[in-house]
Amino acid sequence: MTETSASRAPVTRKGSELPVSVDTTKMVQFLVEKGLTEVPPEFLLPKNLRPSSTRMKNIPRTFQIPVIDMAKLNHPDFGENVVREIGRACEEWGFFQVINHGFSAELMQGAMQMCGEFFALPMEEKKLYSMKTSSGIGYGRRMAVKEGVRVDWVDRLGFWSASEEHRKRQPLDVICPAAFNATMSQYGDEILKLAHVILSALSRHAGLDGNYLLDRLGETNTAGVRTGMNYYPPCPQPDLVMGIGQHADGSVLTIVQQDGTPGLEVLKDGLWVPIPAIPEAFVINVGDQIQMISNERYKSVVHRVVAGNGSGRKSISNFFLPNWETVVSPAPRFCTRSNPARYQPVKFSEYITEFMKVPLGEERFVDLFKVPARNEGNQYLISAEGTKGKICPQRFSD
Ligand code: OGA
Ligand code: NI
């Protein structure tokens, strides 16, 4: 690749979606159901990137992403402990699991069932929902666009699960399974609530008003949840492929429901740490938007999904996203004279449309928005009052 990060200049480019065409005969599930015994070349990882050559055999026992019991979050005496656990997990790991989160277990099971039933449909029916643009709404996955590009061992169905406005604007009306739309909009509304609870805890952890981070995302009712149902079919040679190659999420927060099969791994101090599949837990991670808003206090961490040769794996990834028009930038309360703003302001619509087009790889997309080291912090800051894009001279809170 000859193009440099700087020459992409995504900050000034107007976001627009690209057309996408999905060849259903190349969906992983289709290949596997045809009885393939060897992985096709576009999936093959070079030796140095394979799970077996990147994974440490003896990960220290203490290296486990935190599992946080949220039952006492609103308890007058113990609530602050839970807030601290969430905040620390976001500072140190960027990832944690939550249990006793108040989300209905029945609804979680219902959503996973919808996911199973959708992927069990005949290909001819799934095809009706094929993705049409790079916005990621519909059935499909990233295809190899040119020789030598490696693709992921996963098929996806993407849609807006919240809010109502988003569901109407870019609808995906699934006819079968019959309960799909109703179940998944209820699920999305609940995910949105959980995302608000986590953001509020993070705001409190940073010593701010509970609404602080949410307010940075633009009008509350215009933020939404984009959901991806993922199917990682059993792979005859799982060490030669990646379910999802290493990446960080462009979201505010991502909330993932796993089925009983592990596969998700987080990069921590150079080690790939597997995340156990705990029934009825959600895996939550900080996305790039919170990393930028919190001026890197809370980390958007690189992760990946490895493939397996068992019975396949399903997961539901829920990306909590801000209002499209929101200009995201380090919030004044996270910037000090000794820790000035590390990112330039960027409109979320521009960030995410570019993000969806750029192939996953070694580069961190968020780095394209870093303030150059030589004048770090001297250039940009969005006014404390609003997120509508007025760039003000830098002010410090210390
Ligand atoms: C993602 C992701 C994890 C999983 O969709 O961005 O990291 O377990 N998914 O499927
Ligand atoms: Ni991810």
Side-chain angles (χ1 to χ4, degrees):
M1 230 173 56
T2 52
E3 200 184 27
T4 64
S5 304
S7 71
R8 273 198 208 123
V11 181
T12 53
R13 203 187 295 170
K14 184 105 190 78
S16 65
E17 293 168 11
L18 290 179
V20 166
S21 79
V22 174
D23 180 351
T24 45
T25 65
K26 293 207 168 144
M27 297 302 278
V28 190
Q29 187 181 5
F30 185 84
L31 300 174
V32 169
E33 284 172 2
K34 257 188 8 199
L36 138 156
T37 52
E38 275 189 16
V39 166
E42 68 264 34
F43 294 92
L44 279 184
L45 293 169
K47 268 211 174 78
N48 62 332
L49 293 182
R50 291 179 188 165
S52 58
S53 48
T54 51
R55 192 184 288 121
M56 272 261 308
K57 295 278 174 307
N58 303 312
I59 293 180
R61 264 178 183 241
T62 47
F63 250 46
Q64 278 178 6
I65 75 153
V67 178
I68 300 175
D69 184 342
M70 288 180 66
K72 297 215 169 100
L73 180 62
N74 296 318
H75 190 284
D77 299 328
F78 303 113
E80 283 312 306
N81 292 347
V82 183
V83 164
R84 200 173 314 120
E85 279 186 71
I86 293 175
R88 285 202 178 147
C90 293
E91 287 172 335
E92 288 167 24
W93 285 87
F95 262 86
F96 55 99
Q97 301 213 57
V98 289
I99 53 170
N100 296 323
H101 36 60
F103 201 105
S104 144
E106 210 176 290
L107 189 52
M108 287 181 81
Q109 279 161 15
M112 198 51 87
Q113 189 180 331
M114 293 302 111
C115 176
E117 287 186 28
F118 177 81
F119 285 106
L121 293 175
M123 188 54 82
E124 283 311 304
E125 245 178 279
K126 289 198 284 269
K127 208 172 168 172
L128 300 175
Y129 305 105
S130 295
M131 274 178 200
K132 306 234 164 8
T133 71
S134 57
S135 69
I137 306 295
Y139 176 61
R141 65 176 173 81
R142 248 165 12 91
M143 302 287 176
V145 282
K146 58 178 185 208
E147 268 213 25
V149 171
R150 182 195 50 73
V151 293
D152 294 331
W153 191 265
V154 65
D155 294 342
R156 257 198 188 208
L157 178 71
F159 55 94
W160 287 103
S161 60
S163 59
E164 186 63 23
E165 188 192 310
H166 292 284
R167 291 193 289 255
K168 282 200 180 125
R169 196 172 47 82
Q170 284 185 305
L172 181 89
D173 291 318
V174 176
I175 295 156
C176 178
F180 189 97
N181 300 322
T183 305
M184 293 318 294
S185 25
Q186 201 188 341
Y187 180 87
D189 292 342
E190 291 300 312
I191 289 283
L192 195 60
K193 283 188 206 154
L194 180 57
H196 285 192
V197 168
I198 300 295
L199 268 198
S200 164
L202 271 187
S203 302
R204 283 165 61 192
H205 178 254
L208 303 166
D209 179 75
N211 284 329
Y212 187 86
L213 285 171
L214 197 56
D215 287 346
R216 300 290 306 179
L217 305 181
E219 282 173 56
T220 312
N221 55 359
T222 57
V225 179
R226 240 208 32 235
T227 293
M229 287 181 164
N230 308 305
Y231 178 42
Y232 305 88
C235 180
Q237 298 167 297
D239 189 43
L240 307 189
V241 306
M242 206 50 88
I244 301 183
Q246 66 175 65
H247 69 284
D249 295 346
S251 55
V252 174
L253 292 172
T254 307
I255 302 179
V256 176
Q257 181 182 342
Q258 312 189 76
D259 69 359
T261 313
L264 182 53
E265 300 186 344
V266 178
L267 189 60
K268 166 82 168 155
D269 302 340
L271 300 176
W272 286 104
V273 183
I275 299 187
I278 304 175
E280 296 181 13
F282 282 108
V283 179
I284 302 188
N285 66 281
V286 171
D288 292 347
Q289 309 307 315
I290 289 293
Q291 172 162 312
M292 291 192 283
I293 293 171
S294 73
N295 206 24
E296 292 185 359
R297 174 160 182 179
Y298 304 118
K299 315 275 186 321
S300 168
V301 170
V302 171
H303 53 285
R304 69 183 188 184
V305 180
V306 296
N309 58 6
S311 53
R313 173 174 187 268
K314 294 192 184 74
S315 69
I316 306 176
S317 323
N318 301 286
F319 302 99
F320 174 49
L321 305 178
N323 177 336
W324 234 235
E325 296 301 314
T326 298
V327 176
V328 173
S329 70
R333 297 294 293 271
F334 289 94
C335 300
T336 61
R337 199 169 292 278
S338 54
N339 182 28
R342 300 176 187 202
Y343 293 93
Q344 303 172 30
V346 55
K347 200 179 193 183
F348 177 68
S349 59
E350 279 159 20
Y351 191 93
I352 206 68
T353 43
E354 290 300 316
F355 183 95
M356 299 292 282
K357 291 177 205 165
V358 175
L360 303 174
E362 307 280 303
E363 274 176 62
R364 287 292 305 269
F365 188 71
V366 73
D367 287 347
L368 299 182
F369 301 90
K370 277 220 156 180
V371 171
R374 67 180 179 283
N375 49 9
E376 195 159 297
N378 290 334
Q379 272 183 312
Y380 305 100
L381 195 70
I382 295 295
S383 71
E385 293 75 43
T387 49
K388 284 276 187 235
K390 207 165 128 249
I391 296 171
C392 297
Q394 173 78 286
R395 268 187 249 117
F396 297 105
S397 62
D398 65 348

